[in-house]
Amino acid sequence: MNDQKVEEQVHINPNQLRGYTTGLLQGKAYSRLHTHLTRVLFPFNISIPEWKLLGQLHENGKVKLAVLAGLLSYDPPMVTKLVKQLEKKGLVKRTQDTIDERAKIITITSSGTKLIDDVEPEVKKVMRVLLNGITREELITYLKVLTVIVHNTTE
């Protein structure tokens, strides 16, 4: 999609970009991504927060609950709730940390790994549709911008 088409679709002049316009556009994009991802995950009986948690465990292996909260930018009680939900589904396992008995270690189960393997192709199909017309370079730039925003707002 060229710049002319983008300008026509969002009705903005990049030289007069306003914060509220940017916020509105980001909100619309987030809402639509969220809706599509929710639809993909629904048949698998999993929510977006649960999916994100499973993804972190899939990538990082055993993770302390407090570390997991930081990775997800959720407060620890929220992560505890998600872990309990995923435990009931047999997708994660919670164990006592052998070094710090107050800490819990969370690991993905083989069922959780299978779920990731089953869902990921469906997520990729939807993302290909949503990202249609965006070049690889544009996507990389977008992800870099998001990373910088997160870095600049880290407390």
Side-chain angles (χ1 to χ4, degrees):
M1 185 177 303
N2 66 35
D3 289 339
Q4 181 71 27
K5 283 186 181 177
V6 170
E7 286 179 43
E8 289 170 9
Q9 285 187 345
V10 295
H11 309 289
I12 61 169
N13 176 345
N15 297 323
Q16 297 175 334
L17 193 61
R18 304 278 189 242
Y20 53 81
T21 305
T22 304
L24 179 64
L25 189 56
Q26 288 174 348
K28 283 182 179 182
Y30 169 81
S31 179
R32 291 177 185 177
L33 286 166
H34 190 274
T35 298
H36 282 80
L37 186 53
T38 297
R39 286 183 189 151
V40 170
L41 297 176
F42 181 78
F44 296 94
N45 190 31
I46 191 158
S47 68
I48 292 174
E50 290 171 332
W51 174 247
K52 290 178 355 183
L53 189 149
L54 282 175
Q56 288 302 309
L57 292 175
H58 189 261
E59 286 184 15
N60 296 298
K62 296 179 180 183
V63 181
K64 284 186 179 183
L65 193 137
V67 171
L68 196 51
L71 290 170
L72 295 168
S73 296
Y74 292 160
D75 60 8
M78 174 67 168
V79 176
T80 299
K81 178 183 174 188
L82 290 170
V83 167
K84 285 180 181 179
Q85 290 169 326
L86 292 169
E87 270 185 313
K88 286 180 185 175
K89 296 176 183 182
L91 302 173
V92 301
K93 176 174 66 169
R94 184 173 27 172
T95 57
Q96 198 74 37
D97 187 341
T98 55
I99 298 168
D100 179 0
E101 58 188 51
R102 296 170 298 160
K104 302 291 183 196
I105 304 291
I106 315 302
T107 54
I108 192 168
T109 64
S110 58
S111 295
T113 299
K114 182 179 180 334
L115 180 73
I116 293 277
D117 294 340
D118 292 345
V119 174
E120 194 61 27
E122 299 304 314
V123 170
K124 285 182 179 179
K125 279 185 211 173
V126 168
M127 292 309 292
R128 272 193 293 277
V129 171
L130 295 174
L131 298 174
N132 183 34
I134 299 172
T135 67
R136 179 170 167 67
E137 293 76 23
E138 289 169 333
L139 183 58
I140 289 169
T141 299
Y142 175 69
L143 295 174
K144 284 180 181 178
V145 168
L146 292 177
T147 301
V148 170
I149 290 170
V150 168
H151 174 75
N152 289 342
T153 57
T154 302
E155 296 172 9

